Amino acid sequence: MTGLLVVTAVPAEAEAVRAGLPDPSTAVLPVGVGPAVAAATTARLLALAEAAGRPYRGVVSAGVAGGFAGRADVGATVLGSVSVAADLGAESPAGFLPVDELGMPPEWLGGGLALAADPGLLAALRAGLPTATVGAVLTVSTVTGTAASTDALRRRHPDAVAEAMEGYGVAVAAAQAGVPFAELRTVSNPVGPRDRDAWRMREALAALTTAAAALT
């Protein structure tokens, strides 16, 4: 059995994780942006490892994220207690309807719209990152960019601390493979009106390197 598989969206995140790893043999691979490509690539990596007789003992979705102000501010490290498919659903005159409210059974959704982190893996990461903020991390295909959308997400997900684009996809791949899953993020910008000048990507990547020490 091999160690952890750490997947990021882009190479810069993978490089930041590798820079802080205590064990250079840990696999760290960029799998692409968005839940679909992240799920497909992670599933392939897990299947190849299992077929080779060297299955991974866990998979972590890692990278930068937007943080909900007052819950996870810029520079914070976040551990996802649950990864949520936050924009999978339908519009209606009454507002957004999550897809499970449209009559879709959980097995059609890879286990549901909210997939919890593995308790043991999450506990190990919390022990290594005692100051990290723990809460729901929302997975979206369209990054939130208005105050109205931010307020709507806050109302629908009062336990959400951050927003990213891959966690739920990786969680589905891990669940299908029977492999423990967790999500680790560092905050580069507040969720809300889009303002690239307010992003602190360099600081978030540096925080990701620091947090990677917990990935033992």
Side-chain angles (χ1 to χ4, degrees), residues 115-127:
L115 298 180
D118 176 77
L121 186 51
L122 179 60
L125 290 172
R126 292 186 72 171

Side-chain angles (χ1 to χ4, degrees), residues 35-148:
V37 69
T41 308
T42 301
R44 179 175 182 272
L45 293 170
L46 293 175
L48 288 172
E50 184 176 5
R54 295 175 57 81
Y56 290 104
R57 61 183 175 86
V59 57
V60 176
S61 177
V64 302
F68 286 94
R71 300 175 185 173
D73 294 323
V74 173
T77 296
V78 168
L79 294 172
S81 57
V82 61
S83 297
V84 182
D87 59 2
L88 184 59
E91 292 184 337
S92 79
F96 178 80
L97 295 174
V99 71
D100 57 355
E101 294 185 11
L102 303 177
M104 306 290 182
E107 59 267 24
W108 290 7
L109 306 172
L113 289 179
L115 298 180
D118 176 77
L121 186 51
L122 179 60
L125 290 172
R126 292 186 72 171
L129 298 166
T131 63
T133 300
V134 181
V137 177
L138 307 185
T139 297
V140 295
S141 295
T142 301
V143 173
T144 303
T146 68

